[in-house]
Amino acid sequence: MIGQALNRVDGPAKVTGRATYAYEHWEAGQPLYGFIVGATIGKGRITRIDTENAERTPGVHLVMTYLNAPEQGPRDESVSFEYWRAQPVLTGPDIHYHGEPVALVVAATLEQARAAADLVEVEYTVGRGRFDFAEQEDEVYIPKVVNAGLPTDTSVGDFDAGFDSAEIRIDEYYTTPYEFSMPMEPHACLVEPRGEDLVVYVSCQIVDAAQTSIASTLQIDPERVQIVAPFVGGGFGSKLGIHSETILAALAARALRQPVKVALTRQQIFQLIGMRPISNQRVRLGAGRDGRLTAIAHDVTMHTNPDVEYAEQTAATTRSLYAAPHRLTSHRLAPLDLPRGTDVRAPGEAPGMLAVESAMDELAYSLGLDPVELRIRNEPTVDPEREVPYSDRHLVECLREGARRFGWEERPATPASVRDGRWLVGYGMSAAIRGHFQGPTAVRVRLEADGTAVVQTDMTDIGTGTYTVLTQVAADGLGLPPDRVRIELGRSDLPTSWGSGGSWGAANSCTAVHRACMALREKLLVAAGGDTRSPLHGLDAADAVFSDGNVGVGGASEALSEIVTRNHPAGLEAEGGTRFMGDDPNYTNYSINTYGAHFAEVGVDADTAEIRLRRMLGVFSVGTVLNAKTTRSQLIGGMIWGAGAALEEEAVVDARSGAFVNRDFAQYLVPVHADIPDVDAVVLDGFDDKANVLGAKGVGELGICGAGASVANAVFNATGVRVRDFPITIEKVLPGLPPMDS
């Protein structure tokens, strides 16, 4: 059952509208509606706020500002992970970024709340804001650590000496813009007060983080906050933590003793949720004429909010990707008065590999060497910085299989040398790597008297297929048909997990389910073996087989339902779990990653420089595949993200106000169907026994890692124009296009 392309078990509920998302819950009856009023300046202080006209508007129940907001718990930097910290709002008159909440209007209808919000009058003293990244790059500082607790800087050997003595040197800067997660479901919640308790229906990726953060902000016992999140319409990192709409709804619901709904508009998401930081990356590669790297350095400067530090681990994957005796990586932060940086799909790896894999392509062309061969020649035997073995590394196999399937041997050796009518045609490729993470996760599996299994965990399904893969693992572990397994997710009264994020969710929760099923099997065998009424009584259970709802030993067999009914009529349950990777010696003794190789073909209009992606192929190594269909879907989704990063996505800041000027989908471009004609993802067979008992690793974010670089490299191969300031747009390519033949 594990690995099969089982259709999504929650698919029928979703297509028939029975899957209930945060804003769609009506259990609390008729709610009130909140609408957030955002600051119209990027830095300064409120000098006057007048809510009288808004409060007089029909239907309005409350206008909350810093003047009447309840006291809240402060952010506690001693809490290890950002998403479990308090997130206070409306705490004072100071404005830290454009769009920051200055008021919440609550009314009987959404229309009344939104209309009244326009009547809230706010006057400011405008301060001098820092909004221009280029102007602040000289004001950088060194963070103590970067995201995921990784070291800020690393150094191996003597980079300067190794680079200076290299026969071939690449020394280039690559810039990436602000980018957003933008899930299909906007950030939304319904908060229902029940006495002194709160039931929070919220779109979140980590239930435990949401519960802890809300309770810490409201300064109440976490047990008084119940989180309900059975379905989440996308997250991509933006829902790992809760945001202002949830805190404001909770404050208002407690104050009014009525249920309150708040949802962000698409435009508000651009200002209130956080984004991938802008970055300037210097990549230096030194190599011999044989293509073997002697020195590699990756230095990154990115923006951070001065009040909430975020250092994306942009140079981290460079530490494990290629062999070179002399190495250097660093991260620096430039404070800007903009929304805080946050985890966006494949944080660090996506922008970092866009730069490094573009630089590797530049090195290949400088050497006159096939880019695939260049990477193979620099394949390490052990992790070059940690000096530990890889748990299971098949990058070379991905490169070779991808080249074979793609027809890489037809790649134009000379840029701008192949035409198809009006189109210049080019091929590009890149490697992919992403670390695999493990976090503490608990799952309870209960076998009912009727022979059905119930899997319970607060793990969330953000559209990745959690309901389906947990069904498969439980069905496989207990020998049940999938339709006899029921999954319960996304509630804070269920066993605690690390939720969905960082590509750790499926591997963690499935491992925990497997262990719970193994414990249940043991209990069932003990019960049957000791029961004189059972056909299995006294038999050696070492070779027991669980299949089709039965357990067999030798020629004897009994239904699971019969064993449970006789011995545990109320049901039989067991728990399984995983522990934090820092407590697991495998994650200390091995470098555990996923790998891949991307190949892309593009056409570039020889007159207009219009870029069209023609096809993409990714070949990946991720250990055990839990579901062939959802795995392929996740990888293809990541590849499309990579194409968007290379060619389209860019949020632009107004340097006068700190506002994002293109804060809608009309101007913040993401790939649509017409942009992505032919994408395929292939997964190699594998099993990583150091990752977990299932041999499975995360896939969701691997697909984006390196994908954008393959597209960028294809654009160069098509045109001879190397763009290092992403995204690659017509304006950046057109001036360098080769002249038309006369």
Side-chain angles (χ1 to χ4, degrees), residues 204-225:
C204 67
Q205 294 179 233
I206 309 176
V207 166
D208 185 57
Q211 182 185 44
T212 303
S213 181
I214 294 168
S216 298
T217 307
L218 272 57
Q219 302 180 98
I220 60 177
D221 189 327
E223 293 297 320
R224 289 170 50 189
V225 178

Side-chain angles (χ1 to χ4, degrees), residues 647-658:
L647 301 177
E648 297 179 84
E649 290 195 53
E650 179 181 21
V652 179
V653 174
D654 185 337
R656 300 166 300 177
S657 66

Side-chain angles (χ1 to χ4, degrees), residues 4-52:
Q4 293 184 19
L6 183 70
N7 288 335
R8 291 176 183 260
V9 298
D10 54 330
K14 288 184 174 179
V15 299
T16 58
R18 291 181 288 110
T20 308
Y21 294 84
Y23 204 68
E24 300 172 335
H25 284 275
W26 294 96
E27 289 88 336
Q30 182 61 48
L32 302 175
Y33 293 83
F35 191 83
I36 295 173
V37 180
T40 57
I41 66 170
K43 184 70 174 178
R45 187 176 178 86
I46 298 172
T47 56
R48 173 180 169 271
I49 185 163
D50 188 342
T51 62
E52 185 175 348

Side-chain angles (χ1 to χ4, degrees), residues 72-75 82-89 213 216-217 242-244 247 340:
Q72 299 158 66
R75 288 175 49 82
E82 163 71 20
Y83 302 116
W84 277 259
R85 297 171 185 165
Q87 304 290 341
V89 293
S213 181
S216 298
T217 307
I242 53 91
H243 300 282
S244 55
I247 297 300
R340 68 190 187 190

